[in-house]
Amino acid sequence: MTITAQKYLVAALSLGLLAAVVAAGTVESRLRLEAEKAAGAGTGPLDPALDRGRQLYEKYSCVACHGAGGAGGVYNANAQTGGMINGVKFVAETYTKEDLSKKILDGVPVVPKADPNGPNPPLAMPSYRGVIGVEEMRVLVDYLYSLRPPGAAKKPAEW
Ligand code: HEC
């Protein structure tokens, strides 16, 4: 083999090696992405648009009353809804996107009492009219829709 042929061979081999490293890197980053997705299930969506919705859910304090990820669990004495504020995980089943936006804009100024002779529940939902604009509302509502657990057949009884 001449020196030139050897040089070509070495160059070809290094190119092959480079291609293999690049391919391995792609597979590796794809696997990492899938692992992150699996780990993120339940803790928060990775989709940037949905993540922005999650940030709005925090920014507008929805999280303080409806819980992280819409899971509920916030105490509201004498509220008709079992003394707790409802979670918002299943709104995709009970509201159209339009009705959901309207509900958020209206708020719930008067929360129905469990015991009519008891005190008013301390927490009522403020109106977000003039606070959340059309574009943010769309992102927030998409996020709320995304909270429905995949495969959930219908809203569970305890909700
Ligand atoms: C100060 C507490 C509070 C805050 C903040 C709040 N809510 Fe509410 N929300 C309530 C209460 C109380 C109700 C009515 C009773 C219930 O559903 O538990 C309600 C009802 C709802 C409902 C109807 C639930 C159903 O079961 O039909 C939705 C949807 C909702 N809120 C979404 C939101 C979103 C989105 C935000 C943030 C932009 C928000 N809420 C902020 C307290 C709050």
Side-chain angles (χ1 to χ4, degrees):
M1 206 184 283
T2 65
I3 299 286
T4 324
Q6 264 179 8
K7 271 188 191 157
Y8 275 126
L9 187 66
V10 167
L13 284 176
S14 340
L15 262 181
L17 191 68
L18 187 72
V21 167
V22 169
T26 315
V27 169
E28 199 255 338
S29 64
R30 221 193 52 222
L31 283 178
R32 207 181 48 226
L33 206 83
E34 271 162 21
E36 279 170 3
K37 247 191 212 158
T43 55
L46 280 181
D47 181 318
L50 294 181
D51 199 52
R52 224 192 114 215
R54 187 186 54 76
Q55 286 168 28
L56 293 174
Y57 183 80
E58 285 173 11
K59 175 181 166 189
Y60 291 116
S61 305
C62 320
V63 66
C65 288
H66 295 286
V74 176
Y75 186 59
N76 202 15
N78 202 32
Q80 220 172 56
T81 44
M84 302 271 244
I85 298 180
N86 274 346
V88 286
K89 265 188 163 177
F90 294 91
V91 288
E93 286 168 14
T94 44
Y95 290 89
T96 64
K97 289 190 173 181
E98 205 187 331
D99 288 345
L100 188 52
S101 311
K102 192 175 174 306
K103 182 83 187 179
I104 297 166
L105 291 180
D106 288 347
V108 183
V110 179
V111 177
K113 298 185 200 180
D115 169 8
N117 301 316
N120 280 326
L123 296 172
M125 178 164 157
S127 157
Y128 285 89
R129 207 173 293 282
V131 178
I132 301 182
V134 174
E135 197 269 340
E136 280 192 339
M137 183 60 85
R138 193 181 45 75
V139 176
L140 179 62
V141 162
D142 281 347
Y143 167 69
L144 295 176
Y145 254 55
S146 79
L147 295 177
R148 180 183 179 274
K154 62 183 177 64
K155 139 178 146 170
E158 73 272 17
W159 180 63

